[in-house]
Amino acid sequence: MILERLTRLKATWPVPAWEWDGRFSTVASSFEAAQEPAVRASAVLAFPRGWTAKSIDTAPPEFRALAERTGLRAGQRLLAGDELACASLFGLWWPWGGGQKITLRIGLLTGDVTEIRALFGVT
């Protein structure tokens, strides 16, 4: 189910470039802030849930722990797959300091990300 959701995201993603982010063991894509509406429409296909630094207290414990580990700050979002089929899927939505670019990182709370890397063509 996770790969199905991510396949839909990838098919509608307006930015073709994906890379590996070893800091968080995620695939990542950066885009111009002007592309945000199209990117959000694509991201919601895989990530129906999400929290900000202000709302993270309402997230499940494993997502609160991830926010703590990654240093979720104001303006950033922690995204999540649906509770049943994609419970371990997460996204880190991080605007850059200058506000002109945003990066989405995609990973799993638990498990191997090899299939995700293959789907996005990231080695």
Side-chain angles (χ1 to χ4, degrees), residues 52-103:
T52 64
K54 288 183 179 181
S55 66
I56 195 64
D57 291 341
T58 65
E62 60 273 18
F63 287 98
R64 290 194 311 265
L66 177 63
E68 187 73 28
R69 277 195 318 274
T70 59
L72 187 69
R73 298 183 204 147
Q76 298 173 335
R77 293 184 59 81
L78 171 57
L79 306 176
D82 69 55
E83 294 177 60
L84 300 177
C86 303
S88 69
L89 181 64
F90 72 84
L92 301 172
W93 182 276
W94 287 12
W96 293 24
Q100 298 301 310
K101 287 193 125 181
I102 301 167
T103 298

Side-chain angles (χ1 to χ4, degrees), residues 16-74:
W18 289 90
E19 60 188 22
W20 179 246
D21 184 339
R23 284 186 316 165
F24 302 115
S25 297
T26 59
V27 296
S29 180
S30 298
F31 53 92
E32 298 296 324
Q35 294 174 298
E36 186 173 355
V39 170
R40 279 189 184 264
S42 181
V44 77
L45 297 172
F47 301 108
R49 302 183 293 159
W51 304 274
T52 64
K54 288 183 179 181
S55 66
I56 195 64
D57 291 341
T58 65
E62 60 273 18
F63 287 98
R64 290 194 311 265
L66 177 63
E68 187 73 28
R69 277 195 318 274
T70 59
L72 187 69
R73 298 183 204 147

Side-chain angles (χ1 to χ4, degrees), residues 2-22:
I2 289 174
L3 290 180
E4 288 175 27
R5 300 284 173 93
L6 292 177
T7 298
R8 284 189 275 166
L9 178 150
K10 184 177 181 259
T12 60
W13 194 253
V15 183
W18 289 90
E19 60 188 22
W20 179 246
D21 184 339

Side-chain angles (χ1 to χ4, degrees), residues 97-112:
Q100 298 301 310
K101 287 193 125 181
I102 301 167
T103 298
L104 175 65
R105 293 171 175 85
I106 298 173
L108 297 174
L109 292 172
T110 58
D112 187 2

